[in-house]
């Protein structure tokens, strides 16, 4: 009986991500509304069924151009991408970010840029991101917890953002920091990690054409639970490297501290490249569950981006620099 | 010494105040009432966490991810494990609570609660083997050997299995109550291991494992005075005999 189930839900999945829904956002939203009220009528649990849509903030549609970045795999449904999240500032349950992230103020938003760069300072979101040149990139997303998604992100190459600030030759690494406001993020009152959340990349990783600064997904602005208003997407690394709701960018000369590494260095390295042969003490990294699928699939080296990024790590022992 | 007296007085006041009697759970609860009304009610209540999962899967199939999340397999596994652990703590709590005069009848429910703990623990591991790994035995073996929290979890289930299998009256008779009791004190070890299992599984510095650890510690420590008393009584009897 249980084994039969995937057939049923795989079909439901395809309905959600069908071409029509994806291309026509209004129709998509309306369909979501109907789906939600439909289940209300059947189940009689209105709060539960409507929770997701009721708390989602109003997001703008964005203009963008499509690109060739597309693994050609089924995209994970918008509903799954926006309801199954790790954003511990809003609680550690997967559903917590969708439940609480709407309490975060994302407008106005300012980003502090400092360290080894020519043009540091305080910037408004619009000064950091050129909203007239957004592109869509469909990337695989692999969480260190051995689940994965395929997400159509909107944004700009990270390199194009960083170059604006004129990093100097001393800038060997770049560190990012997440917004941290106790009044809006209840999870900060729990010492799960050493807040605020920080992440970092080596400068050549940050400048790699695949590294992406995202401001939207599925044709719309990011919802808060996905890291609005801007977040990092580094598709060949585990998801936690993709730091959300960035308020600071620092160009530094030494390897910066990163939150998960600081929490448990044995389990989370600075690089955290997706690597099926480097085992995590708690999860086998050789396979993953693609959200919406029943059977596990093999995890690919560098999450399938080996051809593009392997040269960044030439000569490095990846089992040591994991 | 003064501290101890104060503590005794506190306990005494609490129980003789009859908080529980006031709740209507009076000493007059006859074994018949427990057997005919309370036990079936608790039985159904303890099935609710399982019903919750089925309801969640049904919603999921209808396109509503709000209950079992977008990753229902992980949710199912965690949920079943949570309840196995909770019922283990409830089983452990029965004895200390039944020392309160008005709650003596709780002892009649202990075996059932213990069996439910095993039932959920078994479903928890089954969901891992069937839903998560889909009988990928090499991968499962690898997990048991390499993922320490899974190693500990499997040991815990292994410890609980003989307890569930010897839960019948016939088995108590066959083993003799002393040997049976000795065997069933494995639950203390299992309760410690399940805390380790949970603590090691959780990411970052989270509160929940600490809460469960505190409860287990309290439940184990609450047995200490009785143990000491029993032991000194035995020693006295021995001395008296000689």
């Amino acid at each position: 009986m249980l084994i039969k189930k995937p057939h049923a839900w795989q079909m439901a999945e395809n309905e959600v991500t069908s071409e029509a829904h994806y291309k026509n956002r209004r129709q998509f939203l309306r369909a979501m509304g109907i789906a939600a009220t439909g289940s209300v009528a059947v189940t009689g649990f209105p709060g539960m069924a409507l929770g997701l849509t009721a708390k989602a903030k109003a997001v703008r549609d964005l203009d963008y151009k499509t690109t060739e970045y597309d693994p050609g795999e089924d995209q994970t449904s918008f509903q799954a991408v926006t309801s199954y999240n790790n954003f511990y500032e809003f609680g550690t349950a997967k559903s917590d970010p969708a439940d609480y992230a709407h309490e975060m103020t994302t407008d106005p938003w300012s980003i502090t840029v400092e360290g080894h760069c020519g043009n540091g300072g305080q910037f408004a979101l619009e000064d950091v991101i050129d909203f007239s040149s957004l592109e869509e990139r469909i990337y695989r997303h692999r969480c260190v917890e051995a689940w994965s998604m395929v997400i159509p992100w909107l944004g700009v190459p990270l390199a194009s953002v960083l170059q604006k600030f004129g990093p100097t030759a001393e800038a060997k690494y770049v560190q990012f920091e997440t917004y941290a406001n106790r009044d809006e993020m209840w999870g900060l009152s729990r010492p799960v990690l050493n807040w605020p959340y920080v992440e970092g990349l080596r400068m050549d990783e940050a400048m790699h054409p695949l590294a992406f600064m995202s401001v939207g997904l599925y044709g719309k602005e990011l919802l808060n639970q996905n890291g609005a208003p801007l977040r990092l997407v580094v598709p060949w690394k585990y998801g936690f490297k993709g730091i959300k709701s960035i308020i600071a960018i620092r160009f530094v000369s030494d390897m910066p501290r990163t939150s998960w590494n600081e929490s448990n260095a044995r389990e989370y390295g600075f690089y955290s490249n997706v690597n099926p042969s480097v085992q995590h003490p708690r999860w086998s990294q050789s396979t993953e569950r693609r959200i919406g699928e029943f059977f596990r699939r093999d995890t690919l080296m560098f999450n399938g981006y080996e051809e593009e990024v392997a040269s960044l790590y030439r000569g490095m022992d990846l089992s040591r620099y994991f | 010494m003064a501290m101890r007296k104060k503590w005794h007085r506190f306990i005494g006041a609490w129980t003789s105040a009859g908080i529980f009697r006031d709740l209507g759970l009076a000493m007059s609860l006859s074994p018949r009432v427990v057997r005919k009304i309370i036990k079936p009610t608790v039985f159904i209540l303890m099935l609710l966490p399982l019903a919750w999962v089925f309801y969640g899967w049904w919603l999921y199939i209808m396109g509503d991810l709000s209950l079992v999340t977008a990753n229902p397999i992980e949710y199912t596994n965690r949920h079943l494990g949570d309840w196995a652990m909770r019922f283990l703590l409830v089983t452990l709590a029965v004895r200390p609570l039944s020392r309160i005069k008005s709650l003596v009848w709780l002892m009649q429910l202990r075996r059932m609660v213990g069996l439910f703990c095993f039932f959920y623990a078994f479903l928890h591991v089954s969901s891992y083997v069937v839903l998560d790994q889909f009988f990928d035995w090499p991968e499962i073996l690898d997990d048991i050997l390499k993922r320490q929290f899974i190693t500990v979890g499997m040991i815990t289930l292994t410890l609980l299995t003989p307890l569930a299998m010897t839960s019948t009256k016939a088995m108590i008779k066959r083993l003799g109550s002393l040997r049976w009791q000795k065997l069933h004190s494995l639950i203390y070890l299992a309760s410690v291991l399940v805390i380790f299992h949970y603590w090691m599984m959780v990411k970052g510095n989270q509160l929940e494992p600490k809460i469960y650890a505190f409860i287990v510690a309290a439940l184990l420590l609450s047995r200490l005075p009785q143990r000491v008393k029993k032991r000194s009584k035995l020693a006295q009897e021995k001395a008296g005999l000689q």
Side-chain angles (χ1 to χ4, degrees), chain A residues 2-3 5 8-9 12 39 42-43 45 48-49 79-80 83-84 86 88 92 94 144-145 147 190-192 260 263 268 279-284 286 289 291-292 294-296, chain B residues 52 54-55 57-67 69-71 73-74 78 130-134 139 142-143 146-150 200-208:
Chain A
L2 287 170
I3 299 160
K5 275 171 182 165
W9 51 258
S39 55
V42 179
T43 65
F45 271 65
M48 212 150 64
Q79 197 187 1
S83 69
Y84 190 76
N86 280 327
Y88 281 9
T92 51
K94 291 288 186 296
V144 73
E145 297 165 346
W147 53 266
R190 299 250 190 121
V192 180
W260 278 108
S263 157
Y268 310 98
Q279 294 299 307
H280 185 278
R282 274 182 276 185
W283 301 281
S284 161
S286 53
R289 165 153 298 104
I291 296 301
F294 179 77
F295 293 106
R296 284 169 170 265
Chain B
W52 176 259
F54 279 103
Y55 174 62
W57 273 90
W58 185 70
L59 285 183
Y60 181 85
I61 290 161
M62 303 296 284
D64 179 351
L65 316 185
S66 57
L67 206 155
T69 77
N71 192 350
I73 292 175
E74 189 198 64
R78 293 277 175 92
V130 181
L131 296 178
D132 193 11
Q133 298 289 351
F134 199 67
E139 193 68 28
D142 201 51
D143 265 356
K146 284 191 193 153
R147 256 50 82 188
Q148 284 169 359
F149 83 95
I150 298 182
M200 290 157 80
M201 185 273 295
V202 161
K203 289 198 328 181
N205 175 20
Q206 294 194 34
L207 183 63
E208 287 75 7

Side-chain angles (χ1 to χ4, degrees), chain B residues 92-106:
Chain B
L92 268 187
V94 169
R95 170 57 91 185
L97 284 178
S98 72
R99 295 198 193 287
I100 297 166
K101 259 189 189 164
S102 54
L103 294 177
V104 176
W105 54 271
L106 279 177

Side-chain angles (χ1 to χ4, degrees), chain A residues 174-250:
Chain A
V174 55
Q175 187 189 42
F176 303 89
E177 183 178 315
T178 296
Y179 181 63
N181 180 348
R182 269 180 180 243
D183 296 333
E184 299 177 359
M185 306 160 112
W186 72 270
L188 292 174
S189 55
R190 299 250 190 121
V192 180
L193 290 168
N194 186 8
W195 310 116
Y197 194 82
V198 284
E199 257 307 334
L201 295 171
R202 216 170 55 193
M203 210 56 196
D204 58 341
E205 295 178 316
M207 291 300 180
H208 191 279
L210 279 178
F212 200 58
M213 187 66 94
S214 171
V215 294
L217 55 81
Y218 268 110
K220 293 191 278 274
E221 287 180 299
L222 288 174
L223 288 173
N224 289 358
Q225 58 264 40
N226 295 111
L230 82 168
R231 63 161 300 162
L232 204 60
V233 178
V234 196
W236 71 94
K237 291 176 181 285
Y238 292 118
F240 68 88
K241 295 293 290 182
I243 183 169
K244 300 188 177 93
S245 305
I246 297 166
I247 57 152
I249 300 174
R250 295 188 193 93

Side-chain angles (χ1 to χ4, degrees), chain B residues 49 52 78-88 116-117 120-121:
Chain B
W52 176 259
R78 293 277 175 92
H79 177 83
L80 294 170
D82 282 346
W83 282 100
M85 175 168 64
R86 284 168 196 157
F87 288 150
L88 182 57
F116 262 108
C117 159
Y120 278 93

Side-chain angles (χ1 to χ4, degrees), chain B residues 101-183:
Chain B
K101 259 189 189 164
S102 54
L103 294 177
V104 176
W105 54 271
L106 279 177
M107 281 302 278
Q108 277 177 266
L109 303 176
R110 190 169 71 167
R111 173 168 59 192
M112 186 177 76
V113 180
L115 283 171
F116 262 108
C117 159
F118 180 75
F119 175 62
Y120 278 93
F122 180 77
L123 288 179
H124 170 59
V125 176
S126 304
S127 76
Y128 163 71
V129 171
V130 181
L131 296 178
D132 193 11
Q133 298 289 351
F134 199 67
F135 307 106
D136 186 345
W137 297 110
E139 193 68 28
I140 291 168
L141 193 68
D142 201 51
D143 265 356
I144 295 173
L145 296 177
K146 284 191 193 153
R147 256 50 82 188
Q148 284 169 359
F149 83 95
I150 298 182
T151 316
V152 173
M154 285 296 179
I155 293 172
T156 311
L157 182 74
T158 311
L159 291 180
L160 292 177
T161 307
L163 307 197
M165 279 164 37
T166 57
S167 66
T168 59
K169 267 185 188 148
M171 283 308 287
I172 299 176
K173 248 183 208 160
R174 234 173 96 182
L175 284 170
S177 81
L178 262 181
R179 264 203 297 170
W180 186 88
Q181 268 180 16
K182 231 176 203 171
L183 175 68

